Amino acid sequence: MENNSEDPNSNDKKVYTDEERSKLAEKLDGELDDFIAGLEKRSYTEGWPEDRWQEEMEKHPFFMTKFPGEGEEISPLVQGLQQLKYDPLENTPEELATTYKEEGNFNFKCKKYRNSIINYTEGLKIKCSDDDINAQLYNNRAAANFFLKNYRSCLTDCQLALKLKPNYPKVKLRAAQCLFQLNKHQECILMCDDLLRDNAT
């Protein structure tokens, strides 16, 4: 027996005339306009006010042009990033020490030598097991102290760096410079001789 009912799985599709298409489009446009018109009209109050948007952008860590100074308010986003950056649960001691070293290097390049000393000191407080990282921290702190003319502190850091990494030409050179500034000329000569022996070809 022949079945004349419409097969829902049939691939046959209704073919619209141009006039039918035009009427359907007009109907859909009208329904969309009615829907939009019926939406509740309210102002957005959770955004930044127009007169302060630039100030608010400055608080965002991705857009700030300078880090908040001492005593200035630090935004929650920056605080959160700092916690992640220095969180001992999220970083190994070596990673933390390296982070402090890089922070110190940034301050050093900006000629903020006292800030860089603080960074290097914090890195050393981690007491990571990597002698090379610790030697670099002592060396970098020595460099910052040298620029501040803290020659005794610089020399002490050089000596500590050399204990961890005896063949460290950069440190020996800086130690010799400190000895010269401290009028320890004989020790300066010995350090220079040692440096020359290390670099003899």
Side-chain angles (χ1 to χ4, degrees):
M1 185 174 70
E2 186 177 355
N3 187 357
N4 292 325
S5 62
E6 185 178 347
D7 183 359
N9 296 320
S10 173
N11 291 327
D12 294 337
K13 295 182 180 179
K14 181 177 179 179
V15 178
Y16 290 93
T17 64
D18 290 342
E19 184 180 355
E20 287 174 327
R21 288 176 186 275
S22 179
K23 287 183 178 180
L24 180 59
E26 187 177 343
K27 178 185 176 185
L28 291 173
D29 285 342
E31 290 176 352
L32 180 60
D33 289 340
D34 291 341
F35 174 76
I36 293 173
L39 291 175
E40 181 182 355
K41 291 182 172 58
R42 58 182 179 181
S43 59
Y44 181 60
T45 58
E46 297 178 3
W48 297 334
E50 290 184 14
D51 59 335
R52 284 182 34 229
W53 71 268
Q54 193 168 4
E55 177 187 341
E56 295 294 336
M57 285 283 282
E58 277 286 337
K59 295 179 183 178
H60 196 289
F62 294 152
F63 301 107
M64 61 172 47
T65 55
K66 64 176 182 177
F67 194 79
E70 187 175 348
E72 293 181 352
E73 181 184 359
I74 300 177
S75 72
L77 277 173
V78 174
Q79 290 177 359
L81 285 175
Q82 282 184 320
Q83 288 174 358
L84 283 175
K85 187 176 182 180
Y86 299 110
D87 190 347
L89 298 177
E90 298 289 338
N91 301 276
T92 65
E94 289 72 26
E95 288 171 337
L96 281 173
T98 300
T99 296
Y100 280 115
K101 184 188 74 170
E102 291 171 350
E103 196 84 19
N105 291 348
F106 176 79
N107 280 318
F108 187 91
K109 288 177 182 177
C110 295
K111 298 184 178 181
K112 297 180 179 179
Y113 302 121
R114 287 183 174 81
N115 288 346
S116 68
I117 288 172
I118 293 171
N119 296 135
Y120 298 137
T121 301
E122 289 299 317
L124 289 165
K125 285 180 182 178
I126 300 297
K127 296 181 179 179
C128 77
S129 58
D130 191 320
D131 286 346
D132 192 57
I133 293 175
N134 289 326
Q136 289 175 33
L137 285 165
Y138 279 122
N139 169 58
N140 293 0
R141 191 171 70 175
N145 273 311
F146 188 86
F147 275 92
L148 292 173
K149 298 184 179 181
N150 298 331
Y151 300 122
R152 292 186 187 280
S153 296
C154 178
L155 181 59
T156 299
D157 279 341
C158 288
Q159 292 167 340
L160 291 168
L162 290 171
K163 283 183 180 179
L164 297 172
K165 192 175 178 181
N167 188 18
Y168 204 157
K170 188 185 294 186
V171 175
K172 289 183 178 181
L173 176 59
R174 186 167 291 114
Q177 291 171 327
C178 286
L179 290 166
F180 179 81
Q181 293 293 338
L182 294 169
N183 294 319
K184 297 184 177 183
H185 299 128
Q186 189 59 40
E187 292 179 55
C188 176
I189 291 170
L190 292 173
M191 183 63 71
C192 289
D193 288 342
D194 192 23
L195 181 60
L196 289 171
R197 279 194 298 272
D198 289 343
N199 290 278
T201 55

